[in-house]
Amino acid sequence: MAIVPEGMIADLLTRQASFDAVEKVFAAMASGDAVNFPVVREALGHEDALYGFKGGFDAAGGVLGLKAGGYWPHNLERRGLINHQSTVFLFDPDSGRVKAMVGGNLLTALRTAAASSVSIKHLARKDAKVLGMVGAGHQAKFQLRAALETHAFDEVIGWNYHPEMLPGLAAVAEEMGLPFRAVDLPGLRAADVIITITSSFAPSLLADHVSPGTHLACMGTDTKGKQEVEAALLARASVFCDEVAQSVTIGEAQHAVASGLIDADSVTPIGAVINGTHKGRQSADEITLFDGTGVGLQDLAVADAIVTTALARGMATVVPI
């Protein structure tokens, strides 16, 4: 069994490698070659923690496994650890024997950012120049860095419920050579692409805040009840997702479906666009929206790439089983 601890991930996983792994597995999902297993998520009744499992099997990539972990809301204040903690386990699909154990924290941040950037690459207008950010937390910085590598953006604009956090995004934009401007929510009409990455249970971004032709990557809603954007916005948009079943039950689409504004059949897996079986964006004025709920196969694909690189560089610890 190969062991790749959390501390090694930054030296082994690039944004490009994460992007490539996620794009490939989305395509495999859409073609029926990869399947996610039902998610298990439970409140522990200890430390206010949520704990669960996401797993799946990618027959095309030969990857089988699961990610175990969750959210410990007091970690940062009590232990100096990030609140999200996870570990990925990979198994040999031919024998069922364990193959690898991989630290899952940075991996999760990079695979989430890769998913939104895959959607931007395939669905945003090619002439997109202004990138808008809703949210300025830990994950937002990963999202911003990945998104800026997909297009020749000229400017980053952003809004956050706590505006004192926006300088963190401004620093990332400056690092990438772009100006940053804080805006109010209506000011996001200037954006050609908008990423939402919050943990909100009430919509911040309304339909009137989005201009025709915008692409949105909604990345924060992954639980029943969460909501980042107004349901009416999905009714105006062409809606894409990582996985339809999750999108309509725990993703941003849950609210539009429950309100009867859209139905599950109108939500398209992004993998179909990658495969070329769906045309994706149809016009310059079309609003496209990617509902990124996060699927286990993303974690497994990226973990497999990490293990391959770690073994090739002699960096993994290999133990007998």
Side-chain angles (χ1 to χ4, degrees), residues 2-300:
I3 300 174
V4 185
E6 184 67 35
M8 287 186 178
I9 304 301
D11 294 327
L12 291 167
L13 181 62
T14 64
R15 285 191 294 274
Q16 186 61 51
S18 184
F19 181 100
D20 292 343
V22 169
E23 184 180 48
K24 184 177 179 181
V25 81
F26 281 168
M29 287 167 56
S31 64
D33 293 323
V35 60
N36 290 286
F37 303 149
V39 175
V40 175
R41 181 176 294 160
E42 298 291 341
L44 293 184
H46 176 75
E47 289 287 332
D48 299 319
L50 294 173
Y51 178 69
F53 304 91
K54 287 184 175 183
F57 175 47
D58 178 3
V63 180
L64 171 69
L66 61 88
K67 180 173 79 170
Y71 184 70
W72 275 256
H74 308 302
N75 265 2
L76 187 59
E77 60 183 277
R78 295 178 181 175
R79 303 173 184 88
L81 301 172
I82 65 170
N83 293 340
H84 288 89
Q85 293 290 327
S86 61
T87 304
V88 178
F89 298 87
L90 300 177
F91 301 87
D92 181 351
D94 294 329
S95 69
R97 297 187 74 186
V98 65
K99 288 177 58 177
M101 180 174 71
V102 183
N105 296 342
L106 179 59
L107 178 159
T108 299
L110 289 172
R111 67 83 154 150
T112 305
S116 64
S117 61
V118 166
S119 82
I120 294 167
K121 172 188 171 182
H122 288 280
L123 294 172
R125 300 190 332 267
K126 301 305 179 186
D127 63 349
K129 295 299 182 184
V130 180
L131 175 62
M133 297 292 301
V134 175
H138 176 73
Q139 178 65 43
K141 296 176 183 179
F142 291 95
Q143 293 285 330
L144 180 53
R145 288 189 179 96
L148 289 177
E149 294 176 347
T150 67
H151 281 62
F153 291 106
D154 292 337
E155 182 184 23
V156 180
I157 61 177
W159 176 90
N160 192 54
Y161 184 80
H162 298 285
E164 66 273 13
M165 297 176 67
L166 288 172
L169 288 184
V172 173
E174 182 179 353
E175 167 195 317
M176 304 288 280
L178 292 179
F180 177 87
R181 179 165 52 94
V183 298
D184 58 12
L185 285 165
L188 287 163
R189 296 188 191 109
D192 302 305
V193 173
I194 300 173
I195 298 173
T196 63
I197 182 67
T198 71
S199 56
S200 177
F201 281 80
S204 301
L205 192 69
L206 306 182
D208 288 345
H209 299 153
V210 177
S211 296
T214 302
H215 172 65
L216 298 104
C218 299
M219 306 303 298
T221 298
D222 59 359
T223 302
K224 285 186 178 181
K226 279 189 175 182
Q227 186 177 12
E228 297 192 287
V229 306
E230 186 179 21
L233 180 55
L234 279 76
R236 288 180 55 198
S238 297
V239 182
F240 299 83
C241 69
D242 42 20
E243 184 178 67
V244 174
Q246 285 194 184
S247 174
V248 302
T249 55
I250 63 171
E252 201 62 44
Q254 65 180 287
H255 307 285
V257 170
S259 301
L261 295 173
I262 66 171
D263 57 39
D265 292 339
S266 65
V267 180
T268 302
I270 186 70
V273 181
I274 299 167
N275 287 337
T277 55
H278 188 285
K279 292 182 179 179
R281 172 175 290 277
Q282 302 293 304
S283 73
D285 290 334
E286 181 182 10
I287 295 174
T288 54
L289 185 148
F290 174 69
D291 186 7
T293 58
V295 294
L297 283 170
Q298 290 173 252
D299 301 296
L300 305 185

